[in-house]
Amino acid sequence: MMFQRWPKRDPNKHYYLVPNEVFNLGLTSHEIAVYNYLLRCEDRRTYQCHPSYRTIGRSVQLSENTVRKYVAGLEEKGLIRTEPSTITTKDGRVRNGSLIYTIRPIQEALELNYQRQFLQAERDMERAQAEKRLVELNQQNKKEESA
């Protein structure tokens, strides 16, 4: 009889997948950590989860305000969408609940990233052309002044 050192686990139940493309989006290590935690928590059918900033922060060792900043960054980059939720207390008061996070398809985030890169490249080209034209005009003005 052979001793099995590691217990067998159902791969769909105890693991989650992280798309390789996440590393092409220029995320910081903290953004990757927060994104990974949200992927770990998500319901695989609805693509949603609702951990609090405090819970995320404890898991990835960041403060609540820092988590808030990185969640906003992930939302801006198109990886997640957030919506507020409410809870009703026992005495009937309505209070703010945790955000509901929806994990968006990675392809949408990639397309958004490529669009931003393209727009930045266009702006850089326009800036370079304007600088070149400015140098030409300055040289032309110097020639006219010396003549």
Side-chain angles (χ1 to χ4, degrees), residues 2-32:
M2 184 182 239
F3 175 72
Q4 186 174 8
R5 187 176 196 149
W6 305 105
K8 287 190 176 184
R9 289 184 165 185
D10 177 6
N12 296 326
K13 200 173 197 179
H14 299 285
Y15 300 94
Y16 64 96
L17 296 175
V18 179
N20 291 337
E21 292 86 354
V22 165
F23 297 99
N24 298 336
L25 296 173
L27 301 177
T28 67
S29 59
H30 294 307
E31 286 175 318
I32 290 172

PDB file of all heavy atoms in Angstrom, residues 2-32:
ATOM      1  N   MET A   2       0.564   2.191  -0.870  1.00  0.00           N
ATOM      2  CA  MET A   2       1.370   3.392  -1.022  1.00  0.00           C
ATOM      3  C   MET A   2       0.734   4.537  -0.227  1.00  0.00           C
ATOM      4  O   MET A   2      -0.470   4.749  -0.267  1.00  0.00           O
ATOM      5  CB  MET A   2       1.458   3.751  -2.501  1.00  0.00           C
ATOM      6  CG  MET A   2       2.336   4.905  -2.798  1.00  0.00           C
ATOM      7  SD  MET A   2       2.290   5.212  -4.549  1.00  0.00           S
ATOM      8  CE  MET A   2       3.991   5.010  -4.908  1.00  0.00           C
ATOM      9  N   PHE A   3       1.566   5.265   0.507  1.00  0.00           N
ATOM     10  CA  PHE A   3       1.098   6.422   1.280  1.00  0.00           C
ATOM     11  C   PHE A   3       0.966   7.616   0.341  1.00  0.00           C
ATOM     12  O   PHE A   3       1.895   7.942  -0.392  1.00  0.00           O
ATOM     13  CB  PHE A   3       2.097   6.723   2.396  1.00  0.00           C
ATOM     14  CG  PHE A   3       1.768   7.956   3.166  1.00  0.00           C
ATOM     15  CD1 PHE A   3       0.687   7.980   4.040  1.00  0.00           C
ATOM     16  CD2 PHE A   3       2.509   9.115   2.995  1.00  0.00           C
ATOM     17  CE1 PHE A   3       0.386   9.129   4.741  1.00  0.00           C
ATOM     18  CE2 PHE A   3       2.204  10.264   3.693  1.00  0.00           C
ATOM     19  CZ  PHE A   3       1.137  10.271   4.578  1.00  0.00           C
ATOM     20  N   GLN A   4      -0.186   8.240   0.370  1.00  0.00           N
ATOM     21  CA  GLN A   4      -0.409   9.425  -0.471  1.00  0.00           C
ATOM     22  C   GLN A   4      -0.172  10.665   0.383  1.00  0.00           C
ATOM     23  O   GLN A   4      -0.882  10.905   1.363  1.00  0.00           O
ATOM     24  CB  GLN A   4      -1.827   9.426  -1.030  1.00  0.00           C
ATOM     25  CG  GLN A   4      -2.045  10.548  -2.003  1.00  0.00           C
ATOM     26  CD  GLN A   4      -3.404  10.448  -2.664  1.00  0.00           C
ATOM     27  OE1 GLN A   4      -4.212   9.626  -2.282  1.00  0.00           O
ATOM     28  NE2 GLN A   4      -3.626  11.285  -3.633  1.00  0.00           N
ATOM     29  N   ARG A   5       0.823  11.398   0.019  1.00  0.00           N
ATOM     30  CA  ARG A   5       1.242  12.547   0.809  1.00  0.00           C
ATOM     31  C   ARG A   5       0.257  13.711   0.724  1.00  0.00           C
ATOM     32  O   ARG A   5       0.005  14.396   1.694  1.00  0.00           O
ATOM     33  CB  ARG A   5       2.618  12.988   0.338  1.00  0.00           C
ATOM     34  CG  ARG A   5       3.198  14.052   1.178  1.00  0.00           C
ATOM     35  CD  ARG A   5       4.595  14.377   0.717  1.00  0.00           C
ATOM     36  NE  ARG A   5       5.230  15.115   1.788  1.00  0.00           N
ATOM     37  CZ  ARG A   5       6.502  15.092   2.059  1.00  0.00           C
ATOM     38  NH1 ARG A   5       7.300  14.349   1.342  1.00  0.00           N
ATOM     39  NH2 ARG A   5       6.995  15.797   3.026  1.00  0.00           N
ATOM     40  N   TRP A   6      -0.269  13.979  -0.449  1.00  0.00           N
ATOM     41  CA  TRP A   6      -1.168  15.118  -0.658  1.00  0.00           C
ATOM     42  C   TRP A   6      -2.579  14.606  -0.900  1.00  0.00           C
ATOM     43  O   TRP A   6      -2.790  13.714  -1.712  1.00  0.00           O
ATOM     44  CB  TRP A   6      -0.724  15.951  -1.862  1.00  0.00           C
ATOM     45  CG  TRP A   6       0.700  16.402  -1.760  1.00  0.00           C
ATOM     46  CD1 TRP A   6       1.761  15.904  -2.452  1.00  0.00           C
ATOM     47  CD2 TRP A   6       1.216  17.412  -0.909  1.00  0.00           C
ATOM     48  NE1 TRP A   6       2.908  16.540  -2.088  1.00  0.00           N
ATOM     49  CE2 TRP A   6       2.608  17.484  -1.127  1.00  0.00           C
ATOM     50  CE3 TRP A   6       0.654  18.258   0.027  1.00  0.00           C
ATOM     51  CZ2 TRP A   6       3.430  18.361  -0.465  1.00  0.00           C
ATOM     52  CZ3 TRP A   6       1.480  19.140   0.693  1.00  0.00           C
ATOM     53  CH2 TRP A   6       2.838  19.186   0.454  1.00  0.00           C
ATOM     54  N   PRO A   7      -3.562  15.185  -0.231  1.00  0.00           N
ATOM     55  CA  PRO A   7      -4.943  14.744  -0.465  1.00  0.00           C
ATOM     56  C   PRO A   7      -5.418  15.173  -1.844  1.00  0.00           C
ATOM     57  O   PRO A   7      -5.003  16.204  -2.365  1.00  0.00           O
ATOM     58  CB  PRO A   7      -5.743  15.460   0.625  1.00  0.00           C
ATOM     59  CG  PRO A   7      -4.914  16.626   1.023  1.00  0.00           C
ATOM     60  CD  PRO A   7      -3.485  16.250   0.774  1.00  0.00           C
ATOM     61  N   LYS A   8      -6.288  14.379  -2.424  1.00  0.00           N
ATOM     62  CA  LYS A   8      -6.851  14.743  -3.722  1.00  0.00           C
ATOM     63  C   LYS A   8      -7.875  15.849  -3.520  1.00  0.00           C
ATOM     64  O   LYS A   8      -8.650  15.825  -2.578  1.00  0.00           O
ATOM     65  CB  LYS A   8      -7.510  13.539  -4.381  1.00  0.00           C
ATOM     66  CG  LYS A   8      -6.513  12.536  -4.891  1.00  0.00           C
ATOM     67  CD  LYS A   8      -7.189  11.503  -5.736  1.00  0.00           C
ATOM     68  CE  LYS A   8      -6.144  10.570  -6.308  1.00  0.00           C
ATOM     69  NZ  LYS A   8      -6.738   9.602  -7.205  1.00  0.00           N
ATOM     70  N   ARG A   9      -7.860  16.778  -4.456  1.00  0.00           N
ATOM     71  CA  ARG A   9      -8.806  17.894  -4.402  1.00  0.00           C
ATOM     72  C   ARG A   9      -9.524  18.001  -5.725  1.00  0.00           C
ATOM     73  O   ARG A   9      -8.937  17.748  -6.773  1.00  0.00           O
ATOM     74  CB  ARG A   9      -8.081  19.209  -4.139  1.00  0.00           C
ATOM     75  CG  ARG A   9      -7.537  19.329  -2.761  1.00  0.00           C
ATOM     76  CD  ARG A   9      -6.938  20.700  -2.587  1.00  0.00           C
ATOM     77  NE  ARG A   9      -6.735  20.974  -1.187  1.00  0.00           N
ATOM     78  CZ  ARG A   9      -6.324  22.123  -0.724  1.00  0.00           C
ATOM     79  NH1 ARG A   9      -6.081  23.112  -1.551  1.00  0.00           N
ATOM     80  NH2 ARG A   9      -6.151  22.315   0.553  1.00  0.00           N
ATOM     81  N   ASP A  10     -10.754  18.419  -5.647  1.00  0.00           N
ATOM     82  CA  ASP A  10     -11.525  18.684  -6.855  1.00  0.00           C
ATOM     83  C   ASP A  10     -10.995  19.995  -7.446  1.00  0.00           C
ATOM     84  O   ASP A  10     -11.092  21.046  -6.808  1.00  0.00           O
ATOM     85  CB  ASP A  10     -13.003  18.805  -6.506  1.00  0.00           C
ATOM     86  CG  ASP A  10     -13.863  19.143  -7.700  1.00  0.00           C
ATOM     87  OD1 ASP A  10     -13.346  19.180  -8.835  1.00  0.00           O
ATOM     88  OD2 ASP A  10     -15.073  19.372  -7.509  1.00  0.00           O
ATOM     89  N   PRO A  11     -10.414  19.967  -8.659  1.00  0.00           N
ATOM     90  CA  PRO A  11      -9.802  21.175  -9.215  1.00  0.00           C
ATOM     91  C   PRO A  11     -10.788  22.309  -9.446  1.00  0.00           C
ATOM     92  O   PRO A  11     -10.408  23.470  -9.440  1.00  0.00           O
ATOM     93  CB  PRO A  11      -9.180  20.708 -10.529  1.00  0.00           C
ATOM     94  CG  PRO A  11      -9.801  19.412 -10.839  1.00  0.00           C
ATOM     95  CD  PRO A  11     -10.288  18.828  -9.544  1.00  0.00           C
ATOM     96  N   ASN A  12     -12.039  22.011  -9.655  1.00  0.00           N
ATOM     97  CA  ASN A  12     -13.014  23.072  -9.879  1.00  0.00           C
ATOM     98  C   ASN A  12     -13.466  23.709  -8.579  1.00  0.00           C
ATOM     99  O   ASN A  12     -13.968  24.824  -8.573  1.00  0.00           O
ATOM    100  CB  ASN A  12     -14.233  22.527 -10.628  1.00  0.00           C
ATOM    101  CG  ASN A  12     -13.860  22.059 -12.009  1.00  0.00           C
ATOM    102  OD1 ASN A  12     -12.983  22.634 -12.643  1.00  0.00           O
ATOM    103  ND2 ASN A  12     -14.489  21.004 -12.469  1.00  0.00           N
ATOM    104  N   LYS A  13     -13.280  23.025  -7.475  1.00  0.00           N
ATOM    105  CA  LYS A  13     -13.797  23.507  -6.208  1.00  0.00           C
ATOM    106  C   LYS A  13     -12.765  24.282  -5.401  1.00  0.00           C
ATOM    107  O   LYS A  13     -13.091  25.235  -4.721  1.00  0.00           O
ATOM    108  CB  LYS A  13     -14.284  22.308  -5.403  1.00  0.00           C
ATOM    109  CG  LYS A  13     -15.239  22.639  -4.327  1.00  0.00           C
ATOM    110  CD  LYS A  13     -15.769  21.367  -3.735  1.00  0.00           C
ATOM    111  CE  LYS A  13     -17.019  21.649  -2.941  1.00  0.00           C
ATOM    112  NZ  LYS A  13     -17.577  20.443  -2.385  1.00  0.00           N
ATOM    113  N   HIS A  14     -11.514  23.883  -5.461  1.00  0.00           N
ATOM    114  CA  HIS A  14     -10.509  24.442  -4.573  1.00  0.00           C
ATOM    115  C   HIS A  14      -9.504  25.357  -5.265  1.00  0.00           C
ATOM    116  O   HIS A  14      -8.544  25.790  -4.635  1.00  0.00           O
ATOM    117  CB  HIS A  14      -9.753  23.314  -3.871  1.00  0.00           C
ATOM    118  CG  HIS A  14     -10.641  22.450  -3.043  1.00  0.00           C
ATOM    119  ND1 HIS A  14     -11.153  22.845  -1.833  1.00  0.00           N
ATOM    120  CD2 HIS A  14     -11.141  21.216  -3.268  1.00  0.00           C
ATOM    121  CE1 HIS A  14     -11.909  21.893  -1.330  1.00  0.00           C
ATOM    122  NE2 HIS A  14     -11.920  20.890  -2.191  1.00  0.00           N
ATOM    123  N   TYR A  15      -9.690  25.639  -6.529  1.00  0.00           N
ATOM    124  CA  TYR A  15      -8.759  26.484  -7.273  1.00  0.00           C
ATOM    125  C   TYR A  15      -9.539  27.483  -8.114  1.00  0.00           C
ATOM    126  O   TYR A  15     -10.702  27.297  -8.403  1.00  0.00           O
ATOM    127  CB  TYR A  15      -7.868  25.632  -8.195  1.00  0.00           C
ATOM    128  CG  TYR A  15      -7.040  24.617  -7.452  1.00  0.00           C
ATOM    129  CD1 TYR A  15      -7.489  23.316  -7.284  1.00  0.00           C
ATOM    130  CD2 TYR A  15      -5.807  24.965  -6.922  1.00  0.00           C
ATOM    131  CE1 TYR A  15      -6.728  22.383  -6.601  1.00  0.00           C
ATOM    132  CE2 TYR A  15      -5.043  24.043  -6.243  1.00  0.00           C
ATOM    133  CZ  TYR A  15      -5.508  22.757  -6.079  1.00  0.00           C
ATOM    134  OH  TYR A  15      -4.754  21.840  -5.402  1.00  0.00           O
ATOM    135  N   TYR A  16      -8.848  28.516  -8.531  1.00  0.00           N
ATOM    136  CA  TYR A  16      -9.431  29.478  -9.461  1.00  0.00           C
ATOM    137  C   TYR A  16      -8.385  29.807 -10.505  1.00  0.00           C
ATOM    138  O   TYR A  16      -7.189  29.672 -10.272  1.00  0.00           O
ATOM    139  CB  TYR A  16      -9.910  30.747  -8.737  1.00  0.00           C
ATOM    140  CG  TYR A  16      -8.795  31.526  -8.091  1.00  0.00           C
ATOM    141  CD1 TYR A  16      -8.210  32.598  -8.744  1.00  0.00           C
ATOM    142  CD2 TYR A  16      -8.314  31.198  -6.825  1.00  0.00           C
ATOM    143  CE1 TYR A  16      -7.188  33.316  -8.163  1.00  0.00           C
ATOM    144  CE2 TYR A  16      -7.291  31.914  -6.239  1.00  0.00           C
ATOM    145  CZ  TYR A  16      -6.737  32.971  -6.909  1.00  0.00           C
ATOM    146  OH  TYR A  16      -5.722  33.682  -6.337  1.00  0.00           O
ATOM    147  N   LEU A  17      -8.837  30.211 -11.667  1.00  0.00           N
ATOM    148  CA  LEU A  17      -7.928  30.521 -12.768  1.00  0.00           C
ATOM    149  C   LEU A  17      -7.727  32.029 -12.887  1.00  0.00           C
ATOM    150  O   LEU A  17      -8.668  32.800 -12.737  1.00  0.00           O
ATOM    151  CB  LEU A  17      -8.479  29.975 -14.083  1.00  0.00           C
ATOM    152  CG  LEU A  17      -8.593  28.461 -14.173  1.00  0.00           C
ATOM    153  CD1 LEU A  17      -9.273  28.063 -15.471  1.00  0.00           C
ATOM    154  CD2 LEU A  17      -7.232  27.820 -14.080  1.00  0.00           C
ATOM    155  N   VAL A  18      -6.509  32.408 -13.185  1.00  0.00           N
ATOM    156  CA  VAL A  18      -6.184  33.809 -13.445  1.00  0.00           C
ATOM    157  C   VAL A  18      -5.762  33.891 -14.902  1.00  0.00           C
ATOM    158  O   VAL A  18      -4.840  33.197 -15.323  1.00  0.00           O
ATOM    159  CB  VAL A  18      -5.026  34.293 -12.542  1.00  0.00           C
ATOM    160  CG1 VAL A  18      -4.686  35.746 -12.845  1.00  0.00           C
ATOM    161  CG2 VAL A  18      -5.365  34.113 -11.082  1.00  0.00           C
ATOM    162  N   PRO A  19      -6.425  34.730 -15.696  1.00  0.00           N
ATOM    163  CA  PRO A  19      -6.049  34.837 -17.105  1.00  0.00           C
ATOM    164  C   PRO A  19      -4.616  35.356 -17.256  1.00  0.00           C
ATOM    165  O   PRO A  19      -4.203  36.276 -16.559  1.00  0.00           O
ATOM    166  CB  PRO A  19      -7.040  35.851 -17.675  1.00  0.00           C
ATOM    167  CG  PRO A  19      -8.104  36.003 -16.654  1.00  0.00           C
ATOM    168  CD  PRO A  19      -7.551  35.581 -15.352  1.00  0.00           C
ATOM    169  N   ASN A  20      -3.864  34.766 -18.165  1.00  0.00           N
ATOM    170  CA  ASN A  20      -2.485  35.196 -18.417  1.00  0.00           C
ATOM    171  C   ASN A  20      -2.423  36.662 -18.835  1.00  0.00           C
ATOM    172  O   ASN A  20      -1.450  37.353 -18.566  1.00  0.00           O
ATOM    173  CB  ASN A  20      -1.850  34.336 -19.511  1.00  0.00           C
ATOM    174  CG  ASN A  20      -1.611  32.921 -19.055  1.00  0.00           C
ATOM    175  OD1 ASN A  20      -1.504  32.636 -17.868  1.00  0.00           O
ATOM    176  ND2 ASN A  20      -1.548  32.006 -20.003  1.00  0.00           N
ATOM    177  N   GLU A  21      -3.458  37.126 -19.515  1.00  0.00           N
ATOM    178  CA  GLU A  21      -3.473  38.480 -20.050  1.00  0.00           C
ATOM    179  C   GLU A  21      -3.406  39.554 -18.964  1.00  0.00           C
ATOM    180  O   GLU A  21      -3.087  40.705 -19.236  1.00  0.00           O
ATOM    181  CB  GLU A  21      -4.725  38.711 -20.906  1.00  0.00           C
ATOM    182  CG  GLU A  21      -4.743  37.915 -22.184  1.00  0.00           C
ATOM    183  CD  GLU A  21      -5.310  36.506 -22.008  1.00  0.00           C
ATOM    184  OE1 GLU A  21      -5.596  36.090 -20.869  1.00  0.00           O
ATOM    185  OE2 GLU A  21      -5.462  35.813 -23.021  1.00  0.00           O
ATOM    186  N   VAL A  22      -3.720  39.186 -17.724  1.00  0.00           N
ATOM    187  CA  VAL A  22      -3.669  40.140 -16.620  1.00  0.00           C
ATOM    188  C   VAL A  22      -2.281  40.776 -16.532  1.00  0.00           C
ATOM    189  O   VAL A  22      -2.141  41.942 -16.194  1.00  0.00           O
ATOM    190  CB  VAL A  22      -4.046  39.442 -15.284  1.00  0.00           C
ATOM    191  CG1 VAL A  22      -3.665  40.265 -14.084  1.00  0.00           C
ATOM    192  CG2 VAL A  22      -5.524  39.137 -15.272  1.00  0.00           C
ATOM    193  N   PHE A  23      -1.262  40.005 -16.901  1.00  0.00           N
ATOM    194  CA  PHE A  23       0.101  40.503 -16.791  1.00  0.00           C
ATOM    195  C   PHE A  23       0.485  41.405 -17.961  1.00  0.00           C
ATOM    196  O   PHE A  23       1.582  41.957 -17.978  1.00  0.00           O
ATOM    197  CB  PHE A  23       1.073  39.331 -16.650  1.00  0.00           C
ATOM    198  CG  PHE A  23       0.825  38.555 -15.391  1.00  0.00           C
ATOM    199  CD1 PHE A  23       0.089  37.384 -15.419  1.00  0.00           C
ATOM    200  CD2 PHE A  23       1.274  39.026 -14.169  1.00  0.00           C
ATOM    201  CE1 PHE A  23      -0.163  36.686 -14.251  1.00  0.00           C
ATOM    202  CE2 PHE A  23       1.023  38.339 -12.996  1.00  0.00           C
ATOM    203  CZ  PHE A  23       0.301  37.162 -13.038  1.00  0.00           C
ATOM    204  N   ASN A  24      -0.407  41.583 -18.928  1.00  0.00           N
ATOM    205  CA  ASN A  24      -0.153  42.471 -20.065  1.00  0.00           C
ATOM    206  C   ASN A  24      -0.824  43.830 -19.884  1.00  0.00           C
ATOM    207  O   ASN A  24      -0.761  44.661 -20.777  1.00  0.00           O
ATOM    208  CB  ASN A  24      -0.661  41.842 -21.363  1.00  0.00           C
ATOM    209  CG  ASN A  24       0.053  40.553 -21.689  1.00  0.00           C
ATOM    210  OD1 ASN A  24       1.173  40.334 -21.256  1.00  0.00           O
ATOM    211  ND2 ASN A  24      -0.603  39.685 -22.429  1.00  0.00           N
ATOM    212  N   LEU A  25      -1.495  44.030 -18.755  1.00  0.00           N
ATOM    213  CA  LEU A  25      -2.269  45.248 -18.566  1.00  0.00           C
ATOM    214  C   LEU A  25      -1.550  46.311 -17.749  1.00  0.00           C
ATOM    215  O   LEU A  25      -2.114  47.354 -17.474  1.00  0.00           O
ATOM    216  CB  LEU A  25      -3.612  44.912 -17.889  1.00  0.00           C
ATOM    217  CG  LEU A  25      -4.537  44.025 -18.707  1.00  0.00           C
ATOM    218  CD1 LEU A  25      -5.749  43.616 -17.879  1.00  0.00           C
ATOM    219  CD2 LEU A  25      -4.984  44.745 -19.966  1.00  0.00           C
ATOM    220  N   GLY A  26      -0.327  46.044 -17.344  1.00  0.00           N
ATOM    221  CA  GLY A  26       0.431  47.039 -16.577  1.00  0.00           C
ATOM    222  C   GLY A  26      -0.085  47.240 -15.170  1.00  0.00           C
ATOM    223  O   GLY A  26      -0.006  48.349 -14.633  1.00  0.00           O
ATOM    224  N   LEU A  27      -0.623  46.196 -14.559  1.00  0.00           N
ATOM    225  CA  LEU A  27      -1.130  46.299 -13.194  1.00  0.00           C
ATOM    226  C   LEU A  27       0.020  46.295 -12.193  1.00  0.00           C
ATOM    227  O   LEU A  27       1.053  45.665 -12.427  1.00  0.00           O
ATOM    228  CB  LEU A  27      -2.054  45.123 -12.868  1.00  0.00           C
ATOM    229  CG  LEU A  27      -3.286  44.929 -13.740  1.00  0.00           C
ATOM    230  CD1 LEU A  27      -4.046  43.678 -13.309  1.00  0.00           C
ATOM    231  CD2 LEU A  27      -4.186  46.137 -13.675  1.00  0.00           C
ATOM    232  N   THR A  28      -0.185  46.973 -11.072  1.00  0.00           N
ATOM    233  CA  THR A  28       0.792  46.906  -9.990  1.00  0.00           C
ATOM    234  C   THR A  28       0.609  45.576  -9.256  1.00  0.00           C
ATOM    235  O   THR A  28      -0.413  44.904  -9.418  1.00  0.00           O
ATOM    236  CB  THR A  28       0.595  48.050  -8.987  1.00  0.00           C
ATOM    237  OG1 THR A  28      -0.657  47.867  -8.316  1.00  0.00           O
ATOM    238  CG2 THR A  28       0.642  49.408  -9.673  1.00  0.00           C
ATOM    239  N   SER A  29       1.576  45.231  -8.443  1.00  0.00           N
ATOM    240  CA  SER A  29       1.469  43.970  -7.694  1.00  0.00           C
ATOM    241  C   SER A  29       0.280  44.007  -6.746  1.00  0.00           C
ATOM    242  O   SER A  29      -0.385  42.984  -6.531  1.00  0.00           O
ATOM    243  CB  SER A  29       2.756  43.699  -6.920  1.00  0.00           C
ATOM    244  OG  SER A  29       3.026  44.758  -6.016  1.00  0.00           O
ATOM    245  N   HIS A  30      -0.032  45.170  -6.193  1.00  0.00           N
ATOM    246  CA  HIS A  30      -1.185  45.279  -5.294  1.00  0.00           C
ATOM    247  C   HIS A  30      -2.505  45.134  -6.050  1.00  0.00           C
ATOM    248  O   HIS A  30      -3.445  44.523  -5.551  1.00  0.00           O
ATOM    249  CB  HIS A  30      -1.149  46.588  -4.519  1.00  0.00           C
ATOM    250  CG  HIS A  30       0.003  46.694  -3.567  1.00  0.00           C
ATOM    251  ND1 HIS A  30       0.281  45.743  -2.616  1.00  0.00           N
ATOM    252  CD2 HIS A  30       0.957  47.642  -3.441  1.00  0.00           C
ATOM    253  CE1 HIS A  30       1.344  46.105  -1.928  1.00  0.00           C
ATOM    254  NE2 HIS A  30       1.781  47.251  -2.421  1.00  0.00           N
ATOM    255  N   GLU A  31      -2.564  45.702  -7.251  1.00  0.00           N
ATOM    256  CA  GLU A  31      -3.774  45.527  -8.060  1.00  0.00           C
ATOM    257  C   GLU A  31      -3.963  44.056  -8.419  1.00  0.00           C
ATOM    258  O   GLU A  31      -5.087  43.548  -8.384  1.00  0.00           O
ATOM    259  CB  GLU A  31      -3.695  46.373  -9.337  1.00  0.00           C
ATOM    260  CG  GLU A  31      -3.891  47.845  -9.100  1.00  0.00           C
ATOM    261  CD  GLU A  31      -3.686  48.678 -10.348  1.00  0.00           C
ATOM    262  OE1 GLU A  31      -2.732  48.413 -11.110  1.00  0.00           O
ATOM    263  OE2 GLU A  31      -4.485  49.616 -10.555  1.00  0.00           O
ATOM    264  N   ILE A  32      -2.880  43.380  -8.732  1.00  0.00           N
ATOM    265  CA  ILE A  32      -2.964  41.953  -9.045  1.00  0.00           C
ATOM    266  C   ILE A  32      -3.437  41.175  -7.821  1.00  0.00           C
ATOM    267  O   ILE A  32      -4.271  40.274  -7.924  1.00  0.00           O
ATOM    268  CB  ILE A  32      -1.609  41.423  -9.565  1.00  0.00           C
ATOM    269  CG1 ILE A  32      -1.336  42.005 -10.956  1.00  0.00           C
ATOM    270  CG2 ILE A  32      -1.592  39.902  -9.618  1.00  0.00           C
ATOM    271  CD1 ILE A  32       0.044  41.709 -11.494  1.00  0.00           C
TER     272      ILE A  32
END
